[in-house]
Amino acid sequence: MSDASRILNASGDNDLKVAEELLPLVYQELRSLAASKMAQEQAGHTLQPMALVHEAWLRLVGGGEKRFDGCGHFFAAAAEAMRRILIERARRKQTVKRGAGFERLDLEHADVAIHASDETLLLVNDALDKLAKEDPRVAALVNLRFFAGMTNEEAAAALGVSVRTAKRHWTFARAWLYDEIRRASDSA
Amino acid sequence: MDKPFKTVRQIFDEASELSDKASSERFVAEACAGDDSLRRRVEELLQAHDAAGGFMQGTLDGRKKSDPGTTTESIGPYRLIEKLGEGE
């Protein structure tokens, strides 16, 4: 049995511990998958987070079936890992570009993380940390949808909540984050 | 800004699901009666909700969209996610 399967099978007793144990495994797997994809593909290719997450799932857990319910821990860890990878990438690119002026803040095209400008991505990331302190469940949903690229239905199944509840979380999160980012960029 | 998060959330949830602006405003006024800063905070979020447009609204290329009426056409590096409105 793989490490990831062992950790997942032991779930139930301590949710937080499961997520903590899974994160480094999933992070490493996703990072190496992302790196090899970026190396293979032509320049300009964008990452497909959900495809990477599925590939990591197959490699780490080996489940052939595509299902999201009951695998919440895995997907939560994968979304958090994906977020870290995208944020690291954005920070690195910003360091390289430093001195060349800021990228414009473009919230309109920040539909999913991989389409967002680096500047926007980092602002969403900071705002999301604040939201997580107020409501961790809402922040978990944002991770799944924005950073892992899940649909509302997939994210709802991964979190074990109804589609309607997930939709409500999402509506609130979008407004809250949009307001927070506007505020942060106004005062900058 | 620092109004009790849960209260703000509850009022926002209900108000944002009301279909017309007038009943949403009426609901917020009633729910926040006597608490101006609570009301301001809820209104701020509702305004952000209206202004947010395509922010975080998309799913990825080649994947099923969760909202009806969306398209996957692209213009240069951008993709058209949904129709937000028409010019007058």
Side-chain angles (χ1 to χ4, degrees):
Chain A
M1 192 186 286
S2 72
D3 285 350
S5 303
R6 185 181 48 74
I7 296 168
L8 276 174
N9 284 341
S11 71
D13 359 319
N14 187 337
D15 284 0
L16 198 67
K17 195 157 166 279
V18 173
E20 271 174 16
E21 283 183 28
L22 272 174
L23 186 57
L25 273 177
V26 182
Y27 172 80
Q28 215 164 33
E29 187 65 35
L30 279 173
R31 231 173 77 129
S32 72
L33 280 173
S36 73
K37 287 276 183 294
M38 295 306 276
Q40 278 168 22
E41 309 284 345
Q42 293 156 355
H45 176 80
T46 49
L47 289 170
Q48 297 264 353
M50 206 38 201
L52 289 180
V53 168
H54 267 130
E55 206 167 326
W57 166 257
L58 291 175
R59 281 164 176 257
L60 290 172
V61 184
E65 222 178 307
K66 179 185 167 177
R67 60 192 180 91
F68 301 101
D69 44 330
C71 311
H73 294 308
F74 178 86
F75 288 107
E80 180 60 29
M82 207 63 230
R83 176 182 172 184
R84 290 186 187 188
I85 290 166
L86 291 168
I87 294 301
E88 279 161 15
R89 202 161 70 122
R91 288 210 174 110
R92 212 166 39 235
K93 274 158 64 189
Q94 277 215 326
T95 314
V96 172
K97 268 189 270 185
R98 189 157 292 160
F102 280 110
E103 274 181 89
R104 76 203 162 103
L105 183 63
D106 184 3
L107 297 181
E108 188 55 48
H109 294 102
D111 54 347
V112 280
I114 56 159
H115 297 145
S117 71
D118 297 327
E119 177 86 6
T120 308
L121 198 55
L122 297 174
L123 284 167
V124 172
N125 188 54
D126 290 345
L128 190 54
D129 280 341
K130 288 191 192 169
L131 181 58
K133 285 188 191 125
E134 299 280 6
D135 195 333
R137 293 165 315 151
V138 172
L141 178 80
V142 175
N143 265 356
L144 293 168
R145 287 196 56 173
F146 189 66
F147 288 103
M150 280 186 169
T151 64
N152 187 57
E153 289 74 13
E154 289 165 351
L159 286 175
V161 300
S162 72
V163 170
R164 183 177 148 78
T165 298
K167 187 104 187 151
R168 277 190 149 197
H169 282 345
W170 182 245
T171 302
F172 180 76
R174 272 185 75 219
W176 197 96
L177 292 169
Y178 190 83
D179 178 66
E180 183 64 31
I181 291 169
R182 242 181 356 185
R183 205 186 294 273
S185 52
D186 282 350
S187 63
Chain B
M1 170 84 201
D2 292 308
K3 295 311 285 180
F5 189 84
K6 268 190 185 160
T7 315
V8 171
R9 167 82 203 258
Q10 271 165 8
I11 300 171
F12 173 91
D13 277 356
E14 293 211 32
S16 64
E17 283 177 4
L18 292 170
S19 49
D20 68 296
K21 212 169 166 56
S23 34
S24 164
E25 280 168 7
R26 212 175 314 125
F27 173 79
V28 173
E30 278 171 29
C32 303
D35 190 340
D36 283 349
S37 62
L38 174 64
R39 180 175 169 168
R40 272 197 301 276
R41 180 61 183 140
V42 173
E43 282 171 352
E44 235 168 32
L45 289 174
L46 286 170
Q47 197 272 329
H49 172 65
D50 290 340
F55 176 57
M56 302 179 93
Q57 270 304 51
T59 48
L60 298 168
D61 285 340
R63 306 198 63 233
K64 195 174 160 289
K65 306 282 180 215
S66 54
D67 296 318
T70 52
T71 74
T72 50
E73 292 172 61
S74 353
I75 299 174
Y78 299 125
R79 286 187 310 117
L80 297 179
I81 306 302
E82 63 181 340
K83 187 173 179 176
L84 298 170
E86 285 179 50
E88 284 171 33

